[in-house]
Amino acid sequence: MEYDFRAIEKNWQKKWTETNAYKVSNESPKPKFYVLDMFPYPSGAGLHVGHPLGYIASDIYARYKRLKGFNVLHPMGYDSFGLPAEQYALETGQHPAVTTEKNIATFRSQLDKIGFSFDWSREVRTSDPKYYKWTQWIFLQLFESWYNPATGKAEPLATLKKMFEEDGTQTAGIRHQVSFTAPEWKTFSENRKLEILMDYRLAFSSFGEVNWCEALGTVLANDEVVNGVSERGGHPVVKKKMRQWYLRITVYADRLLEGLERVEFSESLKEQQRNWIGKSQGAEISFNLTPGPSPKETGASGSVDSRLAINASGLMSHHSPLTVYTTRPDTIFGVDFMVIAPEHELVQQITTPDQKEAIDNYLTYVKSRSDRERMAEVKQITGCFTGAYAINPFDGREIPVWIAEYVLAGYGTGAIMGVPCGDQRDYSFAKHFNIPITNIIGDHFDGQVANPTKDALLTNSGFLNGMPMRDAIDVVITKLVEMGIGKRQVNYKMRDAGFSRQRYWGEPFPIVWNGGEAFPVDEKDLPLELPHVEKYGPGPQGEGPLANLIDWVTSAPTPLHGVAGGALRETSTMPGYAGSSWYFLRYMDPQNDETFCGRKVSDYWNQVDVYVGGTEHAVGHLLYSRMWTKVLFDLGHIGYDEPYKRLVNQGMITGKSYFFLLENEVVFSYKKQDDTASLKRFKYGHNYVDNLGKLTRKMFDKYNAEHPGAADGFSIQWLRDGEGEYIYLKEESEKMSKSKFNVDNPNDLVDKYGADTFRMYEMFLGPVEASKPWDTKGIEGVHRFLKKLWRLFYDDMKGKVWNTDAATADELKILHRAIRKIEDDTERFSFNTAVSTFMICVNELTDAKCHKKEVLDQILVLLTPYAPHIAAELWHLLGHEGSVLDASYPVFNAKHVTESAKEYPVSINGRVRTSISIALDITQPEVEAIVLANDIVQKWLEGKAPKKIIYVKNKMVNVVV
RNA sequence: ACCCGGGUGGUGGAAUUGGUAGACACGCAGGACUUAAAAUCCUGUUCGCAGUAAUGCGAGUGACGGUUCAACUCCGUUCCUGGGUACCA
């Protein structure tokens, strides 16, 4: 009887489907365990070999935990809203729902072949109205909540209204954008009140600059824009003002940072999130500006704005002060210039008549520059003097105020103080414009390169002279606060997240506009279903396709909020990350029509214990879903505020591509130093070329036979060695993609070798976390292993070979060593070494001619997570009644692997740590040396045996005691 | 430029807390079985030198230096490479 993997796998997959073997109950006396994969976007290209890597890893872990006696939740679904389906619809007219359905069917059939243990009864699809009903519901929770800094959490808007009614904006500890008293609040119109409340909602609408992509006709998130072009398609992206929805994620910045301390993510991923949030501590400092020319003097050239400002303020100074943000207030005596953003509101006010023309020219120049250019030429120094001066509050020095595009309006106060001796950018700026540089750090500044040290003692710094910079920071802030011209300030790089897209294939907002205000759709009217459209092109003025459906837009009932006017539906849709921000909760309770996820159920399943997915979602999806979880927690809907306890990042599998070096239609052998300008892709070449990029004439002829016409259009200049003709090709690792001909479809490999081999091979390839090139050359070895395993049970010639004899001590040692190692490796997600251990174990059993059921039984259970089909088949053939899926995991018993004292390798040499090692010069043969070393150490340790003895090659014996 | 990873045979990769580097697999070479092929099995395989051989000697984890009885592992400098961020004050 031979290993007929095709029949075996088909049979067991059918059986497991029929018996609902993977169905998981929410009621169980067992401890729970939640293993989650990042669900895929069902693209038209189907699954490639890179996809299943993470799924196989999580499947092994889920199956392992199940054998260990846990009730394991291991679901799968689809992130089925998204741009590609819509673009495809634009091109072909096919409805996204139809193509999505089709793609999902393809994905599903591919996934099923690999034999995953997903509980498909819990499948979710973000584009299913039954699912997005709750996405919309959660959006409404965000819309109807605010973040209370006093309590540090989200609260229903009612608590804010109550506060306004009782105290206005006077409550301590909360900063407000506008101030009013309780009586004033009561006099405000409904519209005014709603406008004020909008500034607090966690999901809010506002006019903002957004990344507008003309070609795609939509607005993109920051992380969807790469180098000024759209991530998809590479179309140019420009800034445009539009009414948009946002999530007020910035109020969660501190909690998002703090939460990282409580989760097991890789250090690099935590670092990425920290950088994205970009918290910095510093101070805001206000500088008075020198009185510029009075309105009388400036006459007609004085700007209207500036005169209005003066009249309104009625102060001696003509201008409001200039407020800058700095992380280094200690360097205040080193300030040689100020720079404000070109968009800064003070620019028009403070520019002197002399400089007006220059400034206007500069502003025109800035406007003419696209984001793309600004990105491309970051090193270019530009700027323009405004003619105004700021006064250093400590020494009264006049500091010139410039504008420059390198200062961003959106960060801090949009203005900085330039300290050339301490900041390289400031130094370059000063040098470029010949601004004299003040040195406040003595020898630490060489006049050539700025030195951002905090350790120098301050010089030229008035009352700070001689003080270490580190200490001066606090001293200066305290002083500024006393003088009333500064305060401690924390800033974040992270911005509120744009939450609307002018697109069709996404969740419609449950929002109705009336009299310029946004009103929520009544909960009982959810889901607000996505209406059918005929055309997918954008609506008027960059609105989404939904804006073309006049009937739908006006179909909203006029909300009874006392606001007059017709009601119009919001026509943008939610971004891709809306549905994926909470899907891990829906898997727990996918059929629930009453709520997004029953509280009892979410309490039972609790956090995701292990979450497996790629790093590409490090700052997008992972941050948003963490925020949503915190909001749901704050509002009391779930019992924990971090969604994922442990995150495992799977590395990308890259495809190898090969190129011909082409010159005038002749191909030459590639050498490292060759210019790569004229290369021709060798289609499908990865299957024909050896590891060094060597292509033999023989393989090339085979290729030509298999792909007629693929090699037309050039001839080859063959080299020749003893074995025949060959050339070298240029080799590159690239992300897998259909267009690069470097993709392998998992189906092909599963058909050829079986799912079990495929699963084990993907794991054997290397650590789950590492990126690695795809290469099928080693798959034979894994397949051989399974066949060898099979032969421990059945021999092609002799038939059944397993027996029920009692295992020997040596055999139990082989078994228990494997149990220990494989359990360890599985727990650490070190699946590649686990597969190796299986191979070693089977080799050892083969060598020992061990065919004993007692041992083989346990090997099969160990193997079940990795190769479930063959394990189930052999388990069945051994005569077991129940399913191996529910067997219990072997228990490691140290007794079986305890090594005798003799086997202990050696150890000596004076040295005190937790353990001591002793090196001993040996002239005797090895065995005697070990005995001698042992004796010496025993005597020395007063009879205790050394812990470990290691024989070392250079005539030395090391003894660990 | 900054912040994270990573550099180990012909290849993918092992080495869990510093303790005989190269497990396991691929590839390659040789052999067994076979009319032949496939399949399977066995032997060898880090490099250099010596030897018919068993084996011996020397070098060796990107490079240089340090700590240690002992370093792929820890520290310093440097080079290369993958990823992330990008004028964030």
Side-chain angles (χ1 to χ4, degrees), chain A residues 223-281:
Chain A
D223 38 309
E224 287 170 332
V225 182
V226 177
N227 291 331
V229 299
S230 63
E231 191 181 20
R232 274 188 45 83
H235 305 294
V237 175
V238 294
K239 295 278 183 208
K240 182 180 174 178
K241 283 241 178 197
M242 259 187 130
R243 188 174 262 296
Q244 291 296 320
W245 286 92
Y246 294 90
L247 293 186
R248 206 177 295 281
I249 192 170
T250 48
V251 295
Y252 277 92
D254 272 324
R255 281 179 59 191
L256 288 169
L257 279 174
E258 178 272 328
L260 288 177
E261 309 297 324
R262 291 182 278 123
V263 293
E264 289 175 56
F265 294 4
S266 71
E267 221 19 73
S268 78
L269 194 126
K270 286 184 183 182
E271 205 52 38
Q272 272 185 56
Q273 294 212 353
R274 288 191 195 108
N275 286 344
W276 185 261
I277 294 167
K279 183 176 184 170
S280 73
Q281 317 249 11

Side-chain angles (χ1 to χ4, degrees), chain A residues 776-811:
Chain A
T776 56
K777 291 182 179 108
I779 197 166
E780 296 279 354
V782 175
H783 193 58
R784 235 170 259 162
F785 152 74
L786 287 176
K787 285 194 280 192
K788 202 163 178 177
L789 172 86
W790 184 266
R791 284 198 302 274
L792 287 174
F793 297 78
Y794 290 92
D795 189 284
D796 291 357
M797 311 300 290
K798 289 182 265 178
K800 167 179 172 288
V801 288
W802 60 271
N803 60 59
T804 52
D805 299 347
T808 66
D810 278 347
E811 289 162 351

Side-chain angles (χ1 to χ4, degrees), chain A residues 83-97 99 504-505 533-537:
Chain A
L83 216 48
E86 184 161 344
Q87 283 211 314
Y88 191 71
L90 263 171
E91 288 159 20
T92 65
Q94 284 204 61
H95 197 279
T99 48
Y504 172 70
W505 194 229
V533 290
E534 294 302 323
K535 295 188 323 197
Y536 306 94

